[in-house]
Amino acid sequence: MKRLYGVIGSPIAHSMSPLIHNDAFLQNGMDAHYHAFHVEPDQLETAVAGMRALGVTGFNVTIPHKEAIIPLLDSVEDASLQIGAVNTVVNKDGKLIGYNTDGRGFVEALKEVVELKGKQVLIIGAGGAARAIFYTLALEEGIQLDICNRTVSKSEDLIKEFSLERIARSITVDQAAKEIQNYDVVVQTTSVGMFPQINDTPLQLVSVKNNAVFSDIIYNPIETKLLREAKALGAVTQNGVHMFAYQAALAFKIWTGKFPDTDRMKKIVEEHLGGKTC
Ligand code: ATR
């Protein structure tokens, strides 16, 4: 019987997850289908019960349900509990188990362009996306992490909550802009610069370190103003398509045991967005 997979969220109509997962099922010769389900917060509990009742094999969870779904699951992987968000659920013999592939997906994508050991990293932002990325980056050997956020108390709280004072510090956005030459890697996790506010940038950029890597989790537009400026100053840049593909690939692996072709996933997303991946 065809296995069923999906994603729940709101809004969900423009999700590119069905495109890449259905293609990966086809590529791997699997008789399965992935569908996007629009679920409002007041229907989350019913939707999860429906997933159980219908025997859906696995599903992704996106905005605004990543935190709220946790108490509705049978168990949640420890790292996802620490992050406080689940984006992937697998149905194992009727038990729903939650995972978070966002942080790992980001880090795997970043490692395609930079070796992280001993690097000085700046994270811009301290919201939900930053939490998963900060938690996962902190597991890398010898890494030093600075976080700057418009609301400084949020980056301070994040460092305290994860007890990462030894390797991380909170700084202001102005300080980060002044000291930008110190960073090997700059990670942009806020929504600043996302469509339609494409002329916004979270940080005034005047220079970059030699061989610096700038990674922005935004993929619409395909190249944010921050990435465009960083590239013009000589940085290597990576847009959000890479993280998107890797978080999906890791979810696919959890469900099927197979790691799909991430380059193919990126190409599908890139073609759909009508631009070239950077
Ligand atoms: P997400 O789950 O996508 O990370 P979020 O939890 O709402 O969303 O976090 C959004 C992030 O973008 C935060 O770091 C937020 O900064 P604040 O904590 O100060 O709100 C940042 N952000 C959003 N709009 C911003 C803006 N106009 N200028 C600067 N930072 C902004």
Side-chain angles (χ1 to χ4, degrees):
M1 199 168 73
K2 198 184 266 298
R3 287 179 183 271
L4 188 60
Y5 297 83
V7 56
I8 57 172
S10 170
I12 203 68
H14 299 293
S15 170
M16 290 179 290
S17 295
L19 278 179
I20 56 174
H21 284 292
N22 282 323
D23 180 74
F25 287 134
L26 214 61
Q27 290 299 312
N28 285 278
M30 299 172 69
D31 188 20
H33 180 73
Y34 185 108
H35 190 80
F37 297 98
H38 185 116
V39 175
E40 289 295 341
D42 64 347
Q43 289 298 316
L44 180 64
E45 199 168 342
T46 315
V48 173
M51 292 291 190
R52 281 182 199 276
L54 297 172
V56 169
T57 313
F59 59 96
N60 285 128
V61 183
T62 189
I63 289 164
H65 307 311
K66 287 184 183 187
E67 293 92 19
I69 195 161
I70 290 179
L72 305 174
L73 301 174
D74 295 300
S75 66
V76 175
E77 177 211 28
D78 191 49
S80 315
L81 270 184
Q82 300 267 338
I83 291 166
V86 157
N87 79 326
T88 302
V89 176
V90 64
N91 185 345
K92 201 157 189 288
D93 306 321
K95 299 266 184 242
L96 298 184
I97 307 165
Y99 296 85
N100 188 309
T101 68
D102 286 329
R104 183 51 49 202
F106 176 80
V107 173
E108 291 302 317
L110 190 58
K111 282 180 168 177
E112 279 200 338
V113 288
V114 61
E115 149 84 53
L116 291 171
K117 192 174 174 182
K119 292 285 158 64
Q120 189 75 37
V121 178
L122 172 70
I123 299 175
I124 307 171
R131 271 182 84 85
I133 289 171
F134 177 51
Y135 178 88
T136 317
L137 274 175
L139 302 172
E140 293 296 314
E141 210 183 321
I143 205 162
Q144 290 291 323
L145 295 163
D146 285 354
I147 314 182
C148 69
N149 192 47
R150 176 179 59 179
T151 313
V152 177
S153 61
K154 279 170 73 179
S155 40
E156 288 171 350
D157 289 350
L158 209 54
I159 293 168
K160 271 196 212 121
E161 190 189 334
F162 291 153
S163 301
L164 286 170
E165 291 89 346
R166 200 175 46 80
I167 60 160
R169 57 176 195 151
S170 163
I171 61 173
T172 63
V173 174
D174 283 350
Q175 198 178 345
K178 276 197 202 101
E179 296 174 6
I180 201 77
Q181 284 261 13
N182 295 342
Y183 298 103
D184 304 299
V185 180
V186 176
V187 178
Q188 199 305 108
T189 73
T190 76
S191 49
V192 180
M194 194 188 288
F195 181 84
Q197 263 85 46
I198 59 168
N199 290 317
D200 290 354
T201 174
L203 187 110
Q204 293 310 316
L205 207 56
V206 286
S207 63
V208 300
K209 188 174 180 175
N210 267 350
N211 303 316
V213 171
F214 275 61
S215 183
D216 197 322
I217 68 165
I218 292 172
Y219 51 76
N220 185 14
I222 207 127
E223 186 175 59
T224 56
K225 185 176 179 195
L226 180 74
L227 288 194
R228 205 163 55 244
E229 291 180 349
K231 193 191 265 177
L233 291 164
V236 168
T237 60
Q238 184 179 58
N239 65 23
V241 172
H242 299 264
M243 174 188 180
F244 181 70
Y246 267 93
Q247 63 75 31
L250 292 169
F252 193 89
K253 173 95 192 298
I254 289 169
W255 296 327
T256 68
K258 293 178 182 159
F259 194 80
D261 180 348
T262 47
D263 284 339
R264 197 179 158 89
M265 285 180 155
K266 287 176 202 169
K267 196 156 174 283
I268 292 170
V269 173
E270 177 191 308
E271 272 167 13
H272 186 76
L273 293 170
K276 175 83 190 80
T277 311
C278 62

